[in-house]
Amino acid sequence: MTKWVNRAGFLLCAALAALLLLAGVRVNSAGFGLYSWDEDALEAGGEAEALAACIKEAGVKRVYQEFSKENLEDGAAEAFVKRLKKQSVEVFALFGAEEWARDKKGETVIKTMRRVARYNEGKSRSARITGVMVDVEPYLLDEWDEGSRARRKLMENYLSSMEAAYAYAEEHDLELWLCIPNFYDTGFEDILESLISDACDGIAVMNYNRTDEYMQIAKEVGLAREYGKGVECIFELQEPHQHELEEINTYAGVGLDALWRSAARLEKQFGYDRLRFAYHYYRPLQRMLEEE
């Protein structure tokens, strides 16, 4: 009888584990990240309730939010951070511009980070911003189209800038994550390695092609593992045929269940405990949840 009960209990646990796997990484303690450039997300009242519901339903544990200088000074950011911390969600300041890749000394990115550091001064943990997510896209600059030499210079300047930013982040108790495309391992493998080893706490990779998500971030995950850094796989949710997106680039058409299954599969394939996942971005996620 005892053996039968033990076996039944084992089978029940196995079935539960299988159901949780099908539910996706929502059940994983690391949760998902969520990108937001929407200033309305900072508002109290109905918008705050909508964001809170979205966070709960989608298993969000980190929000990367763009804050203006005014947001950081007028109390809007503090109220926002406190609301999310009550949901056990960490908040990162999200910012960046392609022209920062020209700034070899990192003066512009450090100037922006300084606002976050000043905001954090004297605040309790319940109101502190955890870190920054820096989104710089040198490949959008005109110089990128001038050929390999110009591209190399941009990437070297970008690396130098992020190294300076990382030194500042460490001095001011801020995590620094870099949002990058998935193609730096083609032609800029040495710079990619240096970015991961010397210029951040982690990288967030725009993994926007559902044909082979594993291989598109395999090099980045391998380097993150080698240097003990975090790595995040970002899933696109925007509708196709905008921003040059095709159907294969986004989960808008196939749904969140497919996304969660993909995340669970990638988590199992890589077996790296510092791999995590994120949604790009708040409004499309909100729409998809409403359609579920």
Side-chain angles (χ1 to χ4, degrees):
M1 181 67 175
T2 302
K3 289 183 179 179
W4 185 89
V5 170
N6 288 341
R7 177 173 174 78
F10 172 80
L11 292 174
L12 179 62
C13 289
L16 178 59
L19 288 173
L20 291 177
L21 180 62
L22 287 175
V25 182
R26 283 183 295 176
V27 300
N28 188 295
S29 61
F32 273 79
L34 176 62
Y35 288 77
S36 173
W37 289 265
D38 195 332
E39 193 167 10
D40 290 345
L42 301 177
E43 295 178 3
E47 190 59 50
E49 293 174 3
L51 177 61
C54 186
I55 285 170
K56 182 178 180 181
E57 177 65 18
V60 172
K61 292 295 184 181
R62 300 168 306 282
V63 169
Y64 311 112
Q65 175 67 43
E66 182 178 56
F67 297 106
S68 68
K69 180 181 178 181
E70 291 72 27
N71 294 152
L72 293 169
E73 295 174 350
D74 64 12
E78 182 171 0
F80 177 81
V81 174
K82 285 183 175 179
R83 286 196 300 270
L84 267 62
K85 288 291 184 75
K86 287 181 180 179
Q87 285 189 270
S88 300
V89 175
E90 296 295 321
V91 177
F92 287 69
L94 171 63
F95 51 78
E98 57 264 29
E99 59 266 23
W100 291 4
R102 300 183 178 122
D103 181 9
K104 187 175 183 178
K105 295 181 179 179
E107 293 174 346
T108 310
V109 64
I110 291 173
K111 179 180 178 180
T112 308
M113 291 172 65
R114 190 174 292 119
R115 296 173 188 163
V116 180
R118 287 174 178 167
Y119 163 88
N120 274 347
E121 288 178 359
K123 287 190 170 57
S124 65
R125 180 169 177 78
S126 65
R128 284 178 59 86
I129 293 173
T130 301
V132 296
M133 175 67 76
V134 181
D135 183 12
V136 177
E137 300 174 282
Y139 44 89
L140 297 181
L141 294 170
D142 291 340
E143 299 97 295
W144 193 264
D145 297 326
E146 295 175 6
S148 58
R149 183 174 297 180
R151 292 182 181 186
R152 167 64 58 170
K153 183 177 180 180
L154 278 176
M155 290 298 292
E156 289 174 349
N157 286 350
Y158 168 55
L159 171 60
S160 176
S161 178
M162 294 305 105
E163 287 174 338
Y166 189 39
Y168 182 88
E170 290 186 308
E171 291 172 4
H172 293 83
D173 194 26
L174 289 169
E175 287 188 33
L176 172 62
W177 283 66
L178 303 180
C179 185
I180 65 172
N182 61 19
F183 58 76
Y184 283 167
D185 59 337
T186 304
F188 304 104
E189 189 170 338
D190 57 330
I191 290 177
L192 173 64
E193 182 169 1
S194 294
L195 282 170
I196 294 171
S197 63
D198 301 326
C200 68
D201 292 296
I203 52 167
V205 188
M206 296 181 283
N207 197 359
Y208 294 171
N209 191 318
R210 292 186 287 107
T211 57
D212 190 0
E213 290 170 328
Y214 177 89
M215 287 305 300
Q216 288 177 111
I217 61 170
K219 184 65 177 182
E220 290 82 358
V221 174
L223 288 169
R225 193 195 306 266
E226 180 179 350
Y227 292 103
K229 301 297 181 75
V231 56
E232 181 173 84
C233 170
I234 309 173
F235 294 119
E236 181 60 78
L237 305 181
Q238 294 183 86
E239 291 284 350
H241 313 304
Q242 56 179 323
H243 306 294
E244 300 183 357
L245 292 171
E246 301 296 334
E247 290 186 8
I248 200 64
N249 302 134
T250 174
Y251 279 87
V254 295
L256 290 172
D257 283 338
L259 184 155
W260 292 323
R261 288 194 297 271
S262 178
R265 182 171 58 251
L266 289 169
E267 185 177 45
K268 183 177 180 180
Q269 286 176 305
F270 283 114
Y272 181 45
D273 61 3
R274 300 193 65 181
L275 171 65
R276 58 198 203 185
F277 304 90
Y279 306 106
H280 183 263
Y281 56 99
Y282 171 43
R283 291 303 180 188
L285 174 62
Q286 187 181 48
R287 174 187 56 77
M288 292 179 71
L289 287 170
E290 290 172 354
E291 294 173 354
E292 285 290 309

